[in-house]
Amino acid sequence: MVSIVGAGGKTSTLFWLARECIRIGQRVIISTTTQMYLPEENIPVLLCHSPETLPDAAFSAPCVACFAGWNAEKGKVLGFAPPQIDALAKRNIADVLLIEADGAHGFPLKAPALHEPCIADSSDFVIAVMGGEAMAQPVGPQNVHRWPLFSAITGLQAGDLLGAEALQRFINHSQGMFKQAPPQAKRIWLINKSSHIENLTDVLPELLSSAGLDAIWLGSVKEFPPIAHVLQRDECAVTDKNLLR
């Protein structure tokens, strides 16, 4: 199970991962514990109250998206509670579950509120997405969702540049980037639109080790290749073929 949190490209990341998993022959279930937009790809969509009770045949397609309902006003589908996602995972009817577990209202960066994120306990990976356009730039309520919370965690004031020290505080803080990540889950920081961060790439290896991360991914998930570089705790950069190995 891969739970995706943060801001600046979660949904695009989810569907890129879905395509990659399908390409290598894996069966995929897509869902959310919050709200998200419907898949633009040709993916069957199921709406139900209890996904853990559906027959196996309902998930026979290579990739199925399953949601609790439809919010016509927002144009989004509604998700399930984390325990329902855990129960679905226990059935082992897919190779990969991709779960969008957070919302950010289109901002490149966010701090989680008290009720966020909604991560299922059985998650094997938590991918925290951040828009690279915010790095080394002035931050404030104009580009950070829930700015007062982010400011309290990082110590930054509106207009301060987002640098390595503040990022380390945000990653390490119990209420920060990986809030509520299960202890067994590998932690991956995905910096989307990473072409904006040339002046910070030299500090990423230090952040990788000091912030307790398993990997840092750099790329732009709507481009090709979606991930240009990977830093892993136990080895040098690898290609995107090994991202979830």
Side-chain angles (χ1 to χ4, degrees), residues 35-196:
Q35 301 182 35
M36 64 180 287
Y37 290 107
L38 278 169
E40 295 181 2
E41 287 87 350
N42 186 24
I43 296 174
V45 174
L46 298 174
L47 298 180
C48 67
H49 291 295
S50 302
E52 67 274 20
T53 64
L54 290 176
D56 290 0
F59 300 98
S60 59
C63 183
V64 176
C66 187
F67 307 108
W70 168 252
N71 185 326
E73 182 178 349
K74 293 185 177 181
K76 291 185 175 183
V77 286
L78 307 176
F80 302 105
Q84 292 179 286
I85 299 294
D86 287 324
L88 179 61
K90 288 180 180 178
R91 294 179 57 187
N92 293 317
I93 53 177
D95 298 297
V96 180
L97 275 70
L98 298 173
I99 310 298
E100 186 166 320
D102 208 354
H105 296 274
F107 286 76
L109 184 58
K110 72 163 290 185
L114 183 64
H115 63 283
E116 299 172 319
C118 300
I119 302 177
D121 289 339
S122 54
S123 298
D124 300 291
F125 296 86
V126 174
I127 300 176
V129 183
M130 171 187 165
E133 65 267 36
M135 295 185 69
Q137 298 298 314
V139 289
Q142 77 281 357
N143 58 358
V144 179
H145 186 44
R146 309 200 192 285
W147 165 253
L149 295 173
F150 186 83
S151 176
I153 292 171
T154 61
L156 295 179
Q157 302 299 313
D160 288 346
L161 297 182
L162 179 62
E165 291 185 6
L167 284 167
Q168 182 177 347
R169 287 194 292 271
F170 185 55
I171 294 169
N172 282 333
H173 200 281
S174 62
Q175 302 299 305
M177 183 179 287
F178 288 93
K179 178 186 175 186
Q180 297 184 4
Q184 81 282 353
K186 292 186 180 298
R187 300 183 176 202
I188 299 171
W189 178 24
L190 194 165
I191 306 174
N192 194 29
K193 301 179 182 177
S194 61
S195 59
H196 295 76

